Amino acid sequence: MKEIQDLINCLNVQKNIVITSHRNPDGDAIGSCLALKSVLDAHLHVVNVVVPSDFPDDLSWLHGSGEIYVYDREQDKSLELIKSAEVIFCLDYNSLERVDKIGEAIRVSDATKVMIDHHLYPDGFADILISEPEISSTCELLYEVFKGAGWLSAITIHGLEALLVGMITDTGSFKYSISPNTFKNAGEIISQGGDIAHVQDMLYNHMPEKSLRLLGHCLSNRMNIYPDRKAGLIYLSKKDYMDFNIQRGDTEGIVNYLLRLDIVNIAGFISEQPSIVKVSLRSKGDFSVEKMAKEYFRGGGHKNASGGALYSSLKTVISTFEEATEKYKTEIINSY
Ligand code: 5GP
Ligand code: MN
């Protein structure tokens, strides 16, 4: 693959490197950054990770997560690192709009920009573009890049764990967007020492009590089902956030519960944040929530998992979801 050869050539002498990922980083974002850092560290480059906003507490067990620079907390240092970088990696995002303020710093930088991502329709700003929307996670794609570049011997046990985190979280524990290769790659990672039982345990058996109670609240009091269009919605207000002391990451995965219903082909999760209202969309089968996220919620993502955000009231965004699912009713019903 030409891009991998370009990457090898770009990194054949020691470089000052910054690895970035998207705002509200998730398991795939943090996992891919830390796995890549572990390999580049072993190759003796100078490597820093910078993300726009904080990541969920439940990823803080990952080795190296304490050294990640969060722009919201360390603005000057984050911008200075990006300014002085010779190579900038853009992992798990397809557009500089997904990285807020650091996007402009990346855009104007003279560094070689390397995008490794699995979202649809990548922007054209990268010098080396490795974009594979068919692959379930950036971590899986990154593992393929390591293999292709001959870098597997450099990866540490912690790096393997970080790769598994992204592969597991982006596929909902190997349930969505999977291919035979996903399992082949996971199998190889495990046979090289990646402790998948430990990773699953750290990801799913350390939930704070309030998160389970919040899930109960969502399912009992904040769930609308629209059987006429096979849609389901869960929404949370600012007050819910206060009442349940909800932190970043506490709502991760709640939207997927709606897909457990036979009568739901499209699921929405709408949450009222301090200044925006965030929307998560999921679908079963052929219906593309990526298109809906773009058309209605200024967002994007993947065919079956997308998101967006609007500067409107919670009520308006709920109405927008209702309007969007009404408009595409026939497609949604026939999609699965
Ligand atoms: P989530 O619903 O878990 O926040 O995100 C699901 C998918 O949609 C992820 O792949 C994520 O990258 C994408 N996504 C979430 N929010 C946004 C957004 O505001 N804009 C775009 N373009 N994609 C988003
Ligand atoms: Mn991802």
Side-chain angles (χ1 to χ4, degrees):
M1 193 183 179
K2 179 183 171 298
E3 288 77 11
I4 293 194
Q5 195 51 54
D6 290 346
L7 186 58
I8 293 169
N9 296 343
C10 164
L11 297 177
N12 65 2
V13 292
Q14 194 191 57
K15 291 275 168 79
N16 187 355
I17 298 173
V18 166
I19 303 172
T20 64
S21 195
H22 57 81
R23 115 169 59 95
N24 296 336
D26 56 7
D28 197 28
I30 297 298
S32 56
C33 287
L34 294 178
L36 179 60
K37 180 169 169 21
S38 84
V39 166
L40 297 177
D41 281 344
H43 290 162
L44 304 179
H45 297 289
V46 176
V47 191
N48 287 287
V49 178
V50 178
V51 294
S53 62
D54 239 320
F55 51 90
D57 265 356
D58 62 5
L59 295 173
S60 59
W61 59 275
L62 272 165
H63 185 83
S65 66
E67 290 148 40
I68 293 175
Y69 289 93
V70 176
Y71 172 81
D72 279 353
R73 279 195 268 124
E74 292 180 87
Q75 303 195 349
D76 293 346
K77 179 69 182 172
S78 299
L79 293 180
E80 186 191 311
L81 286 169
I82 291 170
K83 228 179 197 168
S84 57
E86 298 169 277
V87 182
I88 299 174
F89 281 89
C90 304
L91 301 187
D92 200 39
Y93 68 94
N94 58 356
S95 142
L96 292 177
E97 281 171 26
R98 299 275 290 131
V99 287
D100 300 342
K101 294 270 167 37
I102 66 172
E104 183 56 16
I106 296 173
R107 201 181 58 75
V108 300
S109 156
D110 291 332
T112 304
K113 293 155 203 168
V114 185
M115 185 194 286
I116 303 179
D117 180 48
H118 69 134
H119 292 91
L120 293 161
Y121 317 122
D123 276 0
F125 68 87
D127 302 294
I128 301 175
L129 173 64
I130 302 176
S131 165
E132 299 282 349
E134 293 301 311
I135 293 189
S136 62
S137 60
T138 296
C139 279
E140 182 185 346
L141 175 57
L142 194 59
Y143 178 71
E144 300 250 352
V145 171
F146 292 162
K147 268 202 285 194
W151 293 346
L152 278 189
S153 59
I155 192 161
T156 61
I157 292 288
H158 293 128
L160 294 169
E161 279 183 4
L163 288 177
L164 287 172
V165 165
M167 292 177 71
I168 291 169
T169 53
D170 260 26
T171 60
S173 293
F174 300 108
K175 284 200 293 286
Y176 317 115
S177 321
I178 39 176
S179 72
N181 257 331
T182 312
F183 290 95
K184 183 168 170 284
N185 288 327
E188 288 175 16
I189 292 171
I190 294 165
S191 62
Q192 286 161 60
D195 187 345
I196 195 163
H198 172 64
V199 173
Q200 293 271 20
D201 182 51
M202 291 310 286
L203 286 174
Y204 296 115
N205 297 338
H206 288 74
M207 198 174 187
E209 180 186 333
K210 67 170 182 179
S211 296
L212 201 56
R213 295 202 182 276
L214 171 70
L215 175 63
H217 173 66
C218 288
L219 302 180
S220 301
N221 310 315
R222 295 286 182 266
M223 184 169 88
N224 295 349
I225 302 297
Y226 308 86
D228 65 318
R229 61 196 88 159
K230 291 204 146 196
L233 173 68
I234 290 173
Y235 57 92
L236 286 174
S237 65
K238 273 187 209 166
K239 185 170 182 307
D240 292 321
Y241 270 74
M242 284 195 314
D243 291 349
F244 282 81
N245 184 22
I246 304 173
Q247 312 295 328
R248 202 180 293 278
D250 290 344
T251 57
E252 195 77 40
I254 290 179
V255 63
N256 292 317
Y257 281 88
L258 290 161
L259 295 181
R260 294 188 178 210
L261 295 177
D262 188 42
I263 52 161
V264 166
N265 287 352
I266 178 172
F269 176 76
I270 299 180
S271 56
E272 189 183 23
Q273 314 276 323
S275 59
I276 53 162
V277 176
K278 168 98 185 78
V279 181
S280 287
L281 298 171
R282 302 289 185 270
S283 65
K284 290 175 184 163
D286 287 336
F287 187 78
S288 171
V289 283
E290 194 272 337
K291 286 205 192 90
M292 184 179 277
K294 203 173 263 171
E295 185 178 342
Y296 284 91
F297 302 107
R298 305 168 65 92
H302 314 276
K303 188 175 92 176
N304 295 119
S306 282
L310 294 178
Y311 290 94
S312 312
S313 69
L314 178 62
K315 204 165 156 244
T316 308
V317 181
I318 291 173
S319 301
T320 306
F321 176 82
E322 289 171 344
E323 186 190 316
T325 49
E326 171 68 31
K327 176 172 162 193
Y328 288 106
K329 189 166 154 168
T330 315
E331 286 93 326
I332 295 168
I333 291 171
N334 296 322
S335 65
Y336 183 75

